Amino acid sequence: MVARVPVLEVRPCLDRGRFPAKVVPGEPLTVEALVLPDTVDVGAAVVLTAPDGKRRDPVPMQHHGDHVWSATVTADEVGAWTYHVESWQESLRTWAARVVGDIDHGADPETVLAQGSALVLALGSEDPAALEVGDDLLDTATPAHERLAEGLAYVASLPDHLGRADVGSTEPLPLRVDPERALVGAWYRLTPSTPDGTLADAAARLDHVAALGFDVVRLPPVHPTRGRPWHAAPVVGPHLDVDPRLGTVADLDALVQRAHQVGLEVALELTWTVASGHPWLEQHAGWFVPTGDDTWRLDPDAEPAGVLGLVLETLVGWADRGVGAFVVRDAHHWPLGLWEHVLRELAAAAPDVLLLSEGDASPAQAHALALVGFHQTTPALHDALGLADVEDVLAGVGRGSVTRTHLVAAPAGGRASTLDDGGAATRCAWAAVAALGSPAWETSSTLEEVDGPSSEPEPDVATLLGRLNELRRAHPALRRRRGLVLHRVHHAGVLAFSRSDGEDTLLVVVDLFPAFPKSVGVPDALGAPGERLQDELDGTWHTLDALTLDPAHPVRVLTARR
């Protein structure tokens, strides 16, 4: 029914309700609206409807001034939900709240009691007791103050849903509740230890990955390529096949099975450019356009339905073999409409599969990809050149209503990067930024490969990676999209940010370029300057006005734990 109490601009509302808001079970969703009262007080609430069609209990909205109301709700089940705002007039409770003041200011008691009687009697069809109370309010044989006391006591006893008038609701808006791993994940990119490394070699390293506390192992492309194996070179054989230099499909099945045994999901990177000899090119030459050097790319405009079918067939085929996530490079170079159809069909065929968009997408492009269904996107943390660049990346974590940031700490591979030439201390520092700055993060086996001894004591990279993942499991604040605050540090190249979720708060201080010992101050963060805070990494105690960092300890993760 249309509400007589106008409710406008319900948010989040993505592209006029075309796309759903996105959360994971237990993740807060704040719903806002403009509620415009008329001459009486009003109330409003947010109502969630579960995938089975059952309404959850309304969550009352709070008024924040200038007609802005909001409520925070949570969903507890994966699937397609809706949410809407209900509004109503609170005529009876408004009368009860004002009646004493009205009488004190000279209003005729019998008149105001008659007004209350009419409002109470209107509830007679829902509560038979209202009929007696309404008549009593009009009984002049009883003193007015006694009748008033009876009426006020009755109103105070009413459950929330009684006494409301002109109840109406807005149109439902979509809400998609994804599995928690769509938001939270620790990924390990497994690159070959030698140029001729095979799938069997990769499988032998899974125990190490699991021991470090990671939950997703990412594989480079495995399909037959024209160039070196394990690289994103043009594909020459079927997309659902394995390069014979790496092994067989059976070897990949064995790797996936072993990964599941040790608690790891498998993510696979796919390449969509093909070379002569690929069966797609032979069967559907008109669906491809040349890019030079005997390389061809899919042309989504040629026959969208056909291209959609090829992409979907590949994703579902690997998902059927146990692959739980896919990495798509430069997805923003493809038409959004294509991904919207692919992801809708994939969600129906393999609802637990995740898609990660990787590339140089702008924040707006990342938002668009998230709207059409990508679960996570990767800003270019590894391309950051200094403190300001890193702060810009972290400031984008949790921005917007649908984008989920996946931070990567790995050498850029062919592009200049701080991590390419940094020692163990530098690599630990940047791993901490990624692991503690976002609910989803990723590192590479190359991060553990530090060349040559250092003249200064340095941390063990593998030990720190394991400890970072332990902290992520222990602290809810590190598994949330929001709650990241950047702090000022009086030292160039030192980053400080806090993560908060309720009473769980941590302060992370990182020397991005740990060449020598530093003593820094972090004002206005996590307590008074002289308060002693404990480092969760090594148990030492520090104060915010004299915090020590050095190549052996380039990261401090501080709590006010006693």
Side-chain angles (χ1 to χ4, degrees):
M1 112 180 78
V2 177
R4 288 182 57 185
V5 178
V7 177
L8 306 174
E9 295 189 21
V10 178
R11 298 181 296 269
C13 177
L14 305 176
D15 196 17
R16 296 169 292 181
R18 175 184 173 188
F19 299 110
K22 298 195 299 186
V23 294
V24 299
E27 182 183 5
L29 174 72
T30 298
V31 180
E32 293 184 341
L34 297 180
V35 182
L36 304 177
D38 189 4
T39 58
V40 296
D41 286 350
V42 299
V46 177
V47 180
L48 291 176
T49 301
D52 61 4
K54 295 181 179 179
R55 287 167 43 109
R56 297 296 168 88
D57 292 337
V59 177
M61 303 182 79
Q62 303 298 317
H63 184 211
H64 302 288
D66 196 23
H67 308 302
V68 177
W69 293 61
S70 74
T72 299
V73 296
T74 57
D76 56 5
E77 178 185 341
V78 173
W81 294 62
T82 64
Y83 57 97
H84 67 271
V85 173
E86 291 186 346
S87 61
W88 57 84
Q89 293 182 342
E90 290 278 15
S91 305
L92 180 56
R93 289 183 176 84
T94 300
W95 171 84
R98 297 177 179 175
V99 61
V100 174
D102 289 345
I103 293 175
D104 287 344
H105 285 84
D108 176 46
E110 295 302 330
T111 299
V112 295
L113 287 172
Q115 294 171 345
S117 173
L119 293 171
V120 171
L121 289 171
L123 300 181
S125 61
E126 299 177 84
D127 181 17
L131 300 176
E132 180 179 352
V133 175
D135 289 340
D136 289 347
L137 288 173
L138 298 175
D139 184 5
T140 56
T142 302
H145 69 276
E146 293 183 11
R147 288 180 279 153
L148 178 58
E150 179 185 2
L152 293 177
Y154 172 74
V155 174
S157 70
L158 288 174
D160 289 342
H161 68 280
L162 286 181
R164 296 173 177 174
D166 299 320
V167 178
S169 69
T170 62
E171 292 295 322
L173 290 170
L175 171 66
R176 189 175 74 216
V177 182
D178 290 322
E180 185 181 23
R181 63 193 187 92
L183 171 68
V184 182
W187 290 41
Y188 189 96
R189 187 185 306 179
L190 196 58
T191 56
S193 55
T194 61
D196 56 353
T198 65
L199 285 168
D201 297 329
R205 300 165 66 189
L206 295 177
D207 286 356
H208 171 70
V209 177
L212 294 180
F214 290 92
D215 44 52
V216 179
V217 59
R218 170 178 167 178
L219 298 179
V222 300
H223 30 47
T225 66
R226 187 174 62 184
R228 292 181 296 163
W230 296 114
H231 285 76
V235 186
V236 297
H239 267 65
L240 292 174
D241 206 349
V242 170
D243 193 310
R245 293 170 291 182
L246 303 180
T248 65
V249 172
D251 292 327
L252 182 61
D253 289 341
L255 184 150
V256 172
Q257 182 179 8
R258 180 56 185 163
H260 292 169
Q261 290 172 348
V262 298
L264 294 168
E265 287 285 351
V266 175
L268 181 61
E269 183 182 333
L270 297 174
T271 300
W272 300 105
T273 56
V274 302
S276 294
H278 193 287
W280 287 355
L281 190 59
E282 296 178 353
Q283 298 165 9
H284 310 289
W287 297 359
F288 293 82
V289 293
T291 59
D293 193 25
D294 192 29
T295 300
W296 304 70
R297 65 171 176 82
L298 283 165
D299 180 9
D301 297 326
E303 187 173 331
V307 173
L308 165 65
L310 294 180
V311 175
L312 189 62
E313 177 187 12
T314 302
L315 296 174
V316 173
W318 284 122
D320 287 344
R321 307 198 77 89
V323 175
F326 297 98
V327 179
V328 180
R329 287 191 177 184
D330 298 326
H332 59 290
H333 291 162
W334 292 47
L336 279 176
L338 173 72
W339 288 123
E340 183 178 357
H341 287 292
V342 166
L343 289 163
R344 183 185 301 122
E345 295 295 327
L346 181 64
D352 294 331
V353 168
L354 306 184
L355 254 70
L356 166 68
S357 168
E358 182 176 75
D360 58 353
S362 69
Q365 290 170 325
H367 175 75
L369 292 170
L371 281 178
V372 299
F374 275 89
H375 298 88
Q376 297 174 10
T377 57
T378 60
L381 177 64
H382 60 265
D383 288 336
L385 298 178
L387 177 63
D389 299 322
V390 177
E391 288 183 332
D392 285 344
V393 172
L394 292 182
V397 174
R399 182 181 293 158
S401 56
V402 292
T403 305
R404 299 181 181 127
T405 302
H406 180 111
L407 293 182
V408 179
R415 300 173 67 180
S417 165
T418 302
L419 287 175
D420 286 319
D421 300 321
T426 300
R427 296 183 176 213
C428 285
W430 288 70
V433 173
L436 306 179
S438 174
W441 85 291
E442 178 180 331
T443 188
S444 166
S445 55
T446 57
L447 201 77
E448 298 181 62
E449 301 167 4
V450 181
D451 296 330
S454 170
S455 59
E456 298 288 342
E458 289 192 315
D460 178 72
V461 177
T463 299
L464 182 76
L465 295 179
R467 183 61 182 141
L468 291 174
N469 285 328
E470 288 178 358
L471 291 176
R472 288 167 50 84
R473 290 191 294 271
H475 290 278
L478 299 176
R479 303 192 300 273
R480 299 288 182 263
R481 291 179 64 237
R482 307 191 192 279
L484 188 151
V485 177
L486 294 166
H487 299 285
R488 292 179 294 111
V489 181
H490 300 308
H491 206 300
V494 177
L495 170 74
F497 61 92
S498 59
R499 300 295 308 274
S500 299
D501 180 66
E503 296 182 355
D504 183 35
T505 301
L506 304 93
L507 174 66
V508 181
V509 184
V510 182
D511 185 357
L512 297 176
F513 309 99
F516 53 86
K518 300 173 184 176
S519 179
V520 302
V522 188
D524 306 323
L526 203 64
E531 184 176 0
R532 298 179 72 234
L533 305 174
Q534 188 172 28
D535 185 355
E536 293 273 327
L537 295 178
D538 64 5
T540 56
W541 292 85
H542 305 266
T543 60
L544 295 180
D545 52 357
L547 184 63
T548 59
L549 298 165
D550 57 58
H553 306 89
V555 181
R556 300 291 184 187
V557 183
L558 303 171
T559 64
R561 184 174 298 171
R562 295 291 183 268

